[in-house]
Amino acid sequence: MKVTLEIPRYTPKKGLSFNLNTGATIESKLVGNEFVLELNQEGLISLATHLLSLAQDSVPSGYHIHYEDSTFLEEGSVCFVIEKK
């Protein structure tokens, strides 16, 4: 499988823009003491794009993305944040 990703460029003025690929599903839940992510193929590719976007050298420490059921997650999912250290 070969996947080509378009990584949005970070600028201090505009920041980053995060989107989901068409058909992507991301669900998060707590199962006992484990945090579980369930993603379909498009969801995995979308999450990979988000992570690679945050990994850019120009993105400052502390920059983060919120995952909520009103944005990227399926309804009823547990909200979480990914932050660049």
Side-chain angles (χ1 to χ4, degrees), residues 65-83:
I65 179 172
H66 290 261
Y67 291 82
E68 301 171 344
D69 60 6
S70 62
T71 54
F72 301 116
L73 301 177
E74 297 296 302
E75 189 174 327
S77 290
V78 175
C79 300
F80 66 96
V81 175
I82 295 178
E83 182 174 324

Side-chain angles (χ1 to χ4, degrees), residues 1-18:
M1 176 177 164
K2 181 177 180 178
V3 177
T4 302
L5 301 175
E6 187 78 27
I7 306 301
R9 185 175 297 216
Y10 171 83
T11 64
K13 186 176 180 178
K14 291 186 179 180
L16 284 171
S17 176
F18 297 100

Side-chain angles (χ1 to χ4, degrees), residues 42-57:
E42 290 303 319
L44 288 164
I45 292 169
S46 296
L47 182 60
T49 303
H50 295 176
L51 295 173
L52 289 169
S53 296
L54 286 174
Q56 295 175 84
D57 288 336

